[in-house]
Amino acid sequence: MRTPNDPFALRGIANLHSHAFQRAMAGLAERRTDRGDSFWTWRETMYRMAGRFDPDTLHAVASQLYAEMLEAGYTTVCEFHYLHHQPDGRPYADPAAMSRALVRAARETGIRLALLPVLYMTGGFDGRALAERQRRFGHDVDAFLRLVEALRTDESEVLRVGCALHSLRAVPADAMQAVLSTLPRDMPVHIHIAEQLGEVQDSLAVRGARPVEWLLDNAAVDARWTLVHATHLERAEAEGIARSGATVAICPTTEANLGDGLFPLRHFLDAGGAIGIGSDSQVSVSPVEELRWLEYGQRLATHHRNIAVRPGSPSVGTTLLDTVHASAANATGLGCDGDVVVLDAEAPQFAGATPDDVADRWIFSGNRPLVREVHVAGTRVVADGRHRDRDAIAARYRTAMATLL
Ligand code: NGQ
Ligand code: ZN
């Protein structure tokens, strides 16, 4: 491992939003099924994949994914986990069996895990019951709180248990209040919010307010909150999130893949907002690609360059890395002592590099993997660009995929 002053030794990156099982369908939803293909038709494909998992296949897929994350430079993952029950909706003998498969995958691969069991109760803003293909996601409030409590007994320096509300579509207002008033005040809370225009319209129709507007008015949103996507924002909403201290988790490659829309980054940063990134649907497992596209989306929309900068911080790469690091502790509830990503100083992309341009070169030059070593909590898990168990994990992944497909 290199010295702390080494410009090629960077802090590990937190991945604020992951659905591990979706790694198994990355690249398999890219054929037109309907002229109107959209987020909502993708979701049907996703539900079919979700219906096939059991704890063993989830463990195998999550292990592959977490090894890939580590090789790419993510050292912490927030797992937004809602695949709780058997496919017909009955709990497993151990109601936490699917959660424990994820915990095991994180422990074995060596990534820090913020496990976010998801409360998922209704099929839409109108409070309709879950559809059959959503049954394995569902809990009532008491069963959900029991799950969170059961998982908390395993907490450690590398495992934090938080809580997630799937979305305002899936969690009625009274259930949200019941959960938030019962759980410890310092627990990370994550929620999908305002990703699709359709949900903004439904929220306006049923709750009389836009999703972010409603949330800010009806929950004590503060720094322990992470708002995932928050794509469709009016100015006052962006400013309200910034004032609250909450983090917005932006998932640029997934948001592009699903046709969500573009987060108003410049305005949010001007308001002092906190952001992080997530790999979400796993169409890309690379902080480089997320950060690159976070910036490029803004350039395409504004016809300007070098958007994500701050006064005194003119480098886009450095500003982006500093910004995602600044939100990590709040969003994950975890520390990052001993989390180090060592880049390949010998790579041609770094010829003539100075400490000031390492981040820009890493994020904005080419596609060769530049991560050489990764350490989590002081343990080396990636050497020479390879996860310590890469081959065994990939072999189990292939076996699991043969079952899933
Ligand atoms: C999810 N994914 O829960 O996996 C969601 C889709 C939904 C993203 N929002 C399902 N990217 O929002 O209903
Ligand atoms: Zn998501």
Side-chain angles (χ1 to χ4, degrees):
M1 193 175 151
R2 309 176 72 100
T3 65
N5 294 327
D6 185 335
F8 295 96
L10 310 180
R11 176 173 158 186
I13 294 174
N15 183 345
L16 300 193
H17 193 64
S18 163
H19 305 287
F21 77 90
Q22 291 176 18
R23 175 65 185 81
M25 62 175 286
L28 295 179
E30 311 301 326
R31 297 172 74 95
R32 179 174 280 189
T33 54
D34 184 290
R35 267 183 62 84
D37 268 349
S38 68
F39 174 90
W40 305 105
T41 56
W42 166 85
R43 194 171 79 151
E44 293 305 316
T45 309
M46 184 272 278
Y47 284 160
R48 280 195 291 281
M49 179 56 84
R52 297 179 194 153
F53 275 86
D54 65 12
D56 287 341
T57 45
L58 184 61
H59 169 257
V61 170
S63 299
Q64 174 67 27
L65 174 68
Y66 295 164
E68 290 173 359
M69 285 183 190
L70 287 161
E71 289 183 358
Y74 289 122
T75 47
T76 298
V77 59
C78 297
E79 185 63 38
F80 197 102
H81 167 57
Y82 57 87
L83 218 51
H84 299 297
H85 309 306
Q86 300 181 61
D88 63 4
R90 280 181 304 134
Y92 287 99
D94 171 8
M98 294 292 262
S99 299
R100 293 195 206 286
L102 295 166
V103 170
R104 200 152 52 86
R107 193 185 335 112
E108 289 166 3
T109 55
I111 200 165
R112 279 188 212 257
L113 174 65
L115 180 62
L116 308 166
V118 175
L119 180 62
Y120 200 124
M121 299 178 73
T122 56
F125 273 103
D126 55 6
R128 78 187 85 131
L130 298 181
E132 193 161 322
R133 58 206 189 293
Q134 297 170 319
R135 288 224 178 101
R136 66 184 315 193
F137 315 156
H139 279 108
D140 61 32
V141 168
D142 288 343
F144 177 71
L145 293 171
R146 281 198 299 276
L147 173 67
V148 174
E149 270 320 301
L151 293 169
R152 270 161 58 81
T153 58
D154 289 335
E155 281 193 324
S156 70
E157 184 200 3
V158 292
L159 172 65
R160 185 72 201 262
V161 176
C163 130
L165 311 170
H166 182 273
S167 52
L168 296 182
R169 288 177 266 133
V171 179
D174 54 347
M176 179 184 87
Q177 308 295 2
V179 165
L180 294 175
S181 61
T182 308
L183 290 174
R185 299 278 317 161
D186 65 344
M187 201 180 238
V189 179
H190 290 221
I191 184 170
H192 286 134
I193 199 107
E195 182 178 13
Q196 285 285 317
L197 286 172
E199 73 185 322
V200 175
Q201 279 148 14
D202 288 354
S203 180
L204 277 166
V206 176
R207 297 196 185 178
R210 302 164 57 83
V212 169
E213 184 187 12
W214 187 90
L215 188 70
L216 292 172
D217 283 346
N218 288 276
V221 176
D222 61 15
R224 74 196 169 119
W225 282 74
T226 296
L227 277 46
V228 181
H229 307 306
T231 308
H232 298 288
L233 287 187
E234 306 225 301
R235 230 155 223 279
E237 292 177 301
E239 286 160 10
I241 299 173
R243 264 198 309 278
S244 75
T247 299
V248 172
I250 311 169
C251 309
T253 62
T254 294
E255 289 159 14
N257 185 277
L258 298 180
D260 289 342
L262 202 59
F263 177 75
L265 179 70
R266 188 60 264 170
H267 177 63
F268 189 63
L269 293 178
D270 287 341
I275 59 161
I277 51 167
S279 63
D280 191 350
S281 67
Q282 332 297 356
V283 288
S284 173
V285 184
S286 158
V288 165
E289 205 179 5
E290 299 307 334
L291 294 172
R292 190 183 279 185
W293 279 98
L294 182 56
E295 169 71 16
Y296 282 177
Q298 306 298 314
R299 294 188 190 184
L300 287 164
T302 63
H303 310 169
H304 282 91
R305 300 188 70 251
N306 303 333
I307 311 291
V309 296
R310 293 186 196 272
S313 180
S315 147
V316 176
T318 302
T319 309
L320 286 170
L321 288 179
D322 289 349
T323 306
V324 302
H325 290 327
S327 65
N330 280 339
T332 65
L334 284 161
C336 62
D337 283 352
D339 294 2
V340 182
V341 172
V342 184
L343 303 179
D344 181 6
E346 310 305 323
Q349 282 98 320
F350 290 125
T354 65
D356 266 1
D357 62 24
V358 167
D360 288 331
R361 288 172 185 252
W362 184 32
I363 295 167
F364 293 105
S365 76
N367 296 296
R368 286 199 190 168
L370 296 173
V371 173
R372 300 306 291 163
E373 282 186 25
V374 177
H375 304 246
V376 180
T379 300
R380 187 170 71 183
V381 293
V382 171
D384 231 358
R386 296 173 66 88
H387 186 269
R388 60 187 178 192
D389 295 322
R390 187 199 266 194
D391 295 337
I393 287 169
R396 270 188 283 138
Y397 178 71
R398 285 196 190 87
T399 306
M401 287 301 284
T403 318
L404 291 167
L405 302 175

